[in-house]
């Protein structure tokens, strides 16, 4: 049994393993094969060779691993390669979208563009800017946020801390229903109520109300989830000190979850910033600077993009402006997201080790 | 300062389920009373009825009388918030507030209740931390987060937080079950000191601990799973551990049981 051999013997725990660079080599090979086949067959679509390469990659991973490492490792490698393929399929459109927007957007995006309105420049002429649209977007989103954050956070506090029985269930149900409201329906609701029945004019505020309807359920949901994450032990610790429930919520529950709540609010803001339909119906659009959101039509970035595209009559200048405005909008949303992450990290409960 | 607790005919429910049945006992001031018994026999539930924390659980409901000196905690018009200021509690798992520093954690009870003088606050914090035998370990890191301390330190921080509001009674729900033997010893020593000032009630699964720290011991049991827990007997700790009057107690203590 106990033989002493000179040659290094494999232990029973050791199996044949492929070198670390194998997946990269298989990927390179699959891409080359995909390119080769599409060149030979005269296919000019990038999607076709990409998909072929993905299929080859998964099959080759399995084949190579099954030969060298055995069936269990082969299955593992197939799962891993499927995850990678799915990841790439998800990332490709995203990167391509940002790439195209940046490429086309930077053409007219400069200081002048950001600080001037369209004024009397017609949609087919070059020149003009998006200052009025940025202003409109900021004001409408700010008003919507100011209205919906208190209502949303308080609703979530009710649902998590106080809500029992039918009323809470009804509120949860309607919040869920509200999440599914298409933005155009929110716009039509405010249009029929505020502008047609109450006979108020088009204004940034009318748009803000529709945006509030869209923002509210997102804030309620995200805040609810964050409040649920606060351990019950903290609430009990505070109550056991003789702190009333409302002060427990204000001083213990909310500070513990404020980072997550802020992130949720920021994401909700990012979501409504890009809304076009309600703004189109209620704010009406304007090419002049209107600093008063409560009176007269305003502009907004998503609507500006749409109008530049729709009214351009194929003019290159209008298309350039639309792309530049789109780039501004994406940058704005991205900055909001980064700010949200920063706040979440800054406010997260510290371990202090 | 310490107050006496008299419980008579106490039943506690979770929804329609009766968790403890008809408990009557007296808890002496300036003493340590230990509750022992198998899991699920209602020790913790009973403990939580003593500062009206039981009703915080959804569906929680209590019938009976708990007299704190001469006031019935479940009497009409009694504010549970005021009750909890008189009867403090330390939980099984250390639960310092994660957003607060060591100092703020100890000051939390006073600050959140809003009834304190600013000039006294740092004195009270120091006194409470010293009372919890934690002062020497944290005096240089009062402004560091409380959650950065070790488990045993966190539990003593929670005790400091509980005694900072000067309760009359201190309830402890298995305060050492998440701690190592050395931290446990520190807390047991602390309990011995605290009983000079407070009435202490401690739930424990560790019978040696009950024998070491308590003056009186109450044994709880349940006849079957799904049945309410009952008080089997309460007596001086020495008697419970040497010569209990009920056979079930002896079986449980000597390990001949469940």
């Amino acid at each position: 049994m106990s033989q002493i051999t000179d040659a290094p013997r494999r232990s029973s725990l050791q199996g044949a393993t492929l070198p670390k660079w194998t997946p990269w080599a298989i990927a390179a090979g699959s891409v080359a094969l995909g390119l080769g086949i599409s060149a030979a067959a005269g296919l000019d679509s990038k999607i076709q060779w990409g998909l072929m390469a993905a299929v080859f990659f998964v099959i080759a991973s399995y084949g190579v691993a099954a030969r060298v490492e055995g069936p269990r490792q082969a299955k593992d490698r197939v799962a891993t390669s499927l995850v990678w393929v799915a990841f790439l399929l998800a990332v490709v459109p995203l990167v391509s979208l940002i790439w195209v927007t940046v490429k086309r957007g930077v053409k007219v995006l400069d200081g002048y563009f950001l600080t001037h309105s369209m004024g009397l420049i017609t949609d087919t002429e070059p020149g003009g800017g998006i200052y009025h649209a940025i202003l409109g977007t900021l004001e409408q989103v700010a008003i919507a946020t100011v209205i919906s954050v208190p209502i949303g956070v308080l609703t979530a506090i009710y649902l998590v801390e106080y809500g029992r029985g039918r009323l809470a269930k009804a509120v949860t149900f309607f919040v869920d229903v509200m999440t599914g409201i298409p933005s155009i329906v929110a716009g039509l609701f405010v249009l029929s109520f505020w502008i047609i029945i109450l006979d108020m004019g088009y204004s940034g505020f009318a748009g803000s109300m529709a945006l509030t309807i869209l923002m509210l359920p997102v804030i309620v949901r995200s805040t609810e989830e964050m409040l649920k994450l606060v351990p019950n032990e903290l609430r009990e610790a505070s109550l056991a000190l003789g702190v009333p429930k409302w002060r427990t919520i204000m001083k213990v529950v909310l500070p513990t979850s404020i980072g997550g709540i802020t992130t949720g609010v920021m994401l909700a803001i990012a979501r409504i910033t890009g809304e076009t339909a309600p703004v189109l119906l209620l704010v009406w659009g304007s090419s002049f600077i209107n600093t008063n959101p409560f009176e007269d039509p305003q502009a907004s970035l998503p609507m500006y993009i749409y109008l530049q595209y729709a009214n351009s009559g194929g003019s290159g200048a209008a298309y350039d402006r639309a792309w530049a405005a789109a780039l501004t909008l994406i940058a704005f949303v991205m900055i909001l997201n980064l700010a949200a992450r920063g706040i979440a990290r800054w406010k997260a409960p510290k371990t202090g080790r | 300062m310490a107050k006496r607790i008299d419980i008579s005919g106490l039943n506690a429910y979770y929804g329609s389920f009766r968790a403890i049945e008809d408990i009557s006992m007296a808890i002496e001031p300036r003493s340590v009373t230990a509750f022992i018994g198998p899991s699920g026999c209602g020790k913790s539930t009973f403990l939580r009825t003593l500062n009206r924390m039981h009703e915080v659980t959804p569906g929680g409901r209590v019938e009976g009388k708990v007299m704190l000196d001469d006031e019935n905690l479940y009497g009409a018009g009694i504010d549970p918030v005021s009750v909890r200021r008189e009867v403090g509690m330390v939980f099984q798992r250390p639960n310092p507030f994660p957003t607060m520093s060591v100092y703020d954690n100890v000051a939390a009870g006073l600050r959140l209740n809003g009834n304190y003088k600013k000039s006294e606050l740092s004195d009270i914090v120091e006194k409470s931390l010293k009372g919890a035998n934690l002062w020497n370990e944290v005096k240089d890191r009062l402004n560091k987060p409380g959650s950065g301390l070790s488990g045993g330190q966190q539990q003593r921080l929670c005790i400091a937080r509980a005694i900072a509001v000067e309760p009359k009674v201190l309830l402890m729900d298995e305060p050492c079950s998440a701690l190592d033997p050395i931290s446990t010893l520190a807390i047991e020593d602390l309990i011995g000191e605290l009983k000079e000032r407070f009435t202490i009630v401690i739930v424990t699964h560790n019978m040696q601990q009950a024998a070491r720290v308590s003056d009186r011991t109450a044994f709880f049991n349940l006849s079957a799973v799904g049945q309410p827990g009952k008080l089997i007997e309460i007596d001086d700790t020495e008697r419970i551990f040497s010569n209990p009057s009920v056979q079930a107690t002896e079986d449980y203590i000597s390990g001949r049981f469940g």
Side-chain angles (χ1 to χ4, degrees), chain B:
Chain B
M1 254 169 49
K3 285 191 177 177
R4 177 191 163 89
I5 311 175
D6 266 305
I7 300 118
S8 52
L10 192 90
N11 291 286
Y13 299 83
Y14 291 101
S16 59
F17 172 69
R18 175 144 69 160
I20 51 176
E21 184 179 0
D22 197 24
I23 290 183
S24 302
M25 69 163 77
I27 295 170
E28 299 295 329
R30 283 193 200 80
S31 70
V32 179
T33 305
F35 294 173
I36 58 171
S39 295
C41 70
K43 316 179 288 291
S44 296
T45 306
F46 178 54
L47 191 75
R48 289 165 64 93
T49 62
L50 300 184
N51 68 342
R52 298 197 59 170
M53 283 298 285
H54 175 63
E55 63 208 54
V56 171
T57 319
R61 194 155 58 76
V62 176
E63 288 167 4
K65 253 162 88 172
V66 176
M67 302 294 292
L68 188 66
D69 276 2
D70 46 9
E71 265 189 303
N72 182 6
L73 299 188
Y74 289 93
I78 296 283
D79 179 9
V81 170
S82 324
V83 170
R84 292 175 199 140
R85 287 180 193 171
E86 300 265 288
V87 186
M89 192 165 193
V90 175
F91 295 85
Q92 186 170 2
R93 292 219 331 245
N95 51 3
F97 299 126
T99 50
M100 297 183 194
S101 65
V102 172
Y103 183 95
D104 292 340
N105 259 291
V106 180
L110 296 168
R111 278 211 182 123
L112 299 184
N113 288 330
N115 53 352
Y116 66 97
K117 291 199 191 90
K118 269 212 174 110
S119 51
E120 290 175 356
L121 194 62
S122 60
D123 289 342
I124 293 175
V125 169
E126 185 177 337
K127 203 177 101 195
S128 307
L129 282 170
K130 280 180 175 160
N133 284 336
L134 192 61
W135 175 252
N136 287 328
E137 290 159 68
V138 299
K139 64 182 176 208
D140 302 322
R141 46 193 298 196
L142 289 174
N143 293 316
K144 295 273 171 58
S147 42
L149 301 176
S150 78
Q153 289 172 328
Q154 286 188 20
Q155 192 62 299
R156 277 180 283 150
L157 179 64
C158 293
I159 294 175
R161 181 176 66 184
I163 61 179
V165 292
E166 290 290 332
K168 309 289 185 275
V169 179
L170 198 56
L171 309 176
M172 297 179 153
D173 189 357
E174 298 182 42
C176 303
S177 66
L179 305 180
D180 67 285
I182 294 174
S183 309
T184 302
L185 187 68
I187 290 191
E188 285 180 6
D189 290 346
L190 178 58
I191 292 173
E193 289 169 27
L194 292 176
K195 79 170 180 182
E196 309 291 322
R197 296 160 55 203
F198 305 101
T199 305
I200 294 181
V201 185
I202 177 171
V203 168
T204 179
H205 269 299
N206 182 331
M207 274 173 285
Q208 288 87 342
Q209 184 174 56
R212 280 194 300 264
V213 302
S214 71
D215 303 308
R216 301 208 14 117
T217 298
F219 173 62
F220 291 77
N221 203 353
L222 70 178
S223 40
V225 176
Q227 296 292 312
K230 286 179 189 165
L231 174 68
I232 303 300
E233 66 174 312
I234 174 166
D235 212 329
D236 289 339
T237 300
E238 265 173 48
R239 254 184 79 83
I240 289 273
F241 282 93
S242 58
N243 186 21
S245 50
V246 182
Q247 185 62 33
T249 315
E250 195 174 340
D251 289 350
Y252 182 77
I253 287 165
S254 53
R256 259 180 280 145
F257 174 91

Side-chain angles (χ1 to χ4, degrees), chain A residues 275-347:
Chain A
E275 281 299 343
T276 319
V279 176
L280 203 61
L281 285 176
L282 300 166
V283 186
W284 198 249
S286 158
S287 48
F288 298 96
I289 298 170
N290 174 13
T291 53
N292 183 359
F294 296 100
E295 221 175 317
D296 297 330
Q298 273 192 316
S300 95
L301 276 174
M303 185 168 46
Y304 178 90
I305 298 167
Y306 170 73
L307 292 177
Q308 285 297 317
Y309 170 78
N311 303 344
S312 63
S315 135
Y319 280 2
D320 287 344
R321 282 196 294 265
W323 281 107
L327 181 58
T328 316
L329 188 59
I330 290 178
F332 179 70
V333 170
M334 205 153 89
I335 290 167
L336 274 184
N337 275 314
L338 288 177
R341 277 169 178 267
I343 290 172
R345 185 173 299 180
W346 172 48
K347 281 288 180 188

Side-chain angles (χ1 to χ4, degrees), chain A residues 38-339:
Chain A
S38 57
L43 306 170
D44 49 342
S45 162
K46 286 177 199 161
I47 297 169
Q48 277 164 330
W49 72 254
L51 288 177
M52 268 193 282
V55 171
F56 293 145
F57 177 60
V58 174
I59 294 173
S61 298
Y62 183 80
V64 172
R67 271 201 96 89
V68 180
E69 295 180 325
R72 183 172 56 78
Q73 285 88 338
K75 279 178 211 152
D76 177 41
R77 291 211 181 247
V78 166
T80 314
S81 50
L82 280 176
V83 169
W84 274 100
V85 166
F87 164 69
L88 287 176
L89 284 179
V91 158
V92 163
L94 205 68
V95 171
S96 133
L97 183 138
I98 290 178
W99 170 247
V100 173
T101 314
V102 169
K103 200 173 74 177
R104 301 211 187 176
V106 290
K107 246 185 244 175
V108 291
L109 187 65
D110 53 19
Y112 181 89
F113 184 73
L114 292 175
T115 51
H116 289 74
S117 73
M118 286 307 287
L120 293 169
I121 297 164
T122 60
D123 287 334
T124 49
E125 281 177 276
I130 54 168
Y131 180 71
H132 59 308
I134 294 178
L135 195 74
T137 291
L138 285 179
E139 285 183 349
Q140 289 148 28
V141 169
I143 293 173
T145 308
V146 166
I147 300 175
S148 54
V149 166
I151 300 179
V153 171
L154 289 176
T155 306
I157 290 178
Y158 168 74
L159 288 176
V160 175
E161 306 289 340
Y162 293 96
R164 305 265 175 272
R166 280 214 193 134
L167 180 60
K169 274 193 189 131
V171 172
T172 310
F173 176 72
F174 282 113
V175 168
D176 284 346
V177 171
M178 272 176 87
T179 316
I181 291 182
S183 55
I184 188 84
V185 174
L188 285 171
F189 168 69
V190 176
L191 180 76
S192 59
F193 178 71
W194 181 256
I195 294 178
I196 297 178
I197 296 179
L198 294 185
D199 202 23
M200 310 301 252
Y202 298 102
S203 68
F205 181 67
S208 299
M209 283 193 289
L211 294 181
T212 302
I213 296 176
L214 297 171
M215 195 173 177
L216 207 48
V218 183
I219 293 183
V220 173
R221 269 271 165 243
S222 60
T223 308
E224 218 185 324
E225 293 309 316
M226 288 304 136
L227 292 178
K228 279 183 191 161
L229 284 182
V230 176
N232 233 348
E233 284 120 51
L234 294 182
R235 294 188 182 91
E236 293 197 337
S238 175
L239 291 176
L241 286 173
V243 180
K245 188 165 185 176
W246 67 273
R247 275 190 88 85
T248 299
I249 294 168
M250 291 297 293
K251 298 286 181 175
V252 175
V253 178
L254 281 182
T256 309
S257 54
I258 194 72
I261 294 174
T262 319
T263 311
V265 169
M266 289 292 199
L267 293 177
I269 294 175
R271 183 191 178 289
I272 60 158
T273 306
E275 281 299 343
T276 319
V279 176
L280 203 61
L281 285 176
L282 300 166
V283 186
W284 198 249
S286 158
S287 48
F288 298 96
I289 298 170
N290 174 13
T291 53
N292 183 359
F294 296 100
E295 221 175 317
D296 297 330
Q298 273 192 316
S300 95
L301 276 174
M303 185 168 46
Y304 178 90
I305 298 167
Y306 170 73
L307 292 177
Q308 285 297 317
Y309 170 78
N311 303 344
S312 63
S315 135
Y319 280 2
D320 287 344
R321 282 196 294 265
W323 281 107
L327 181 58
T328 316
L329 188 59
I330 290 178
F332 179 70
V333 170
M334 205 153 89
I335 290 167
L336 274 184
N337 275 314
L338 288 177

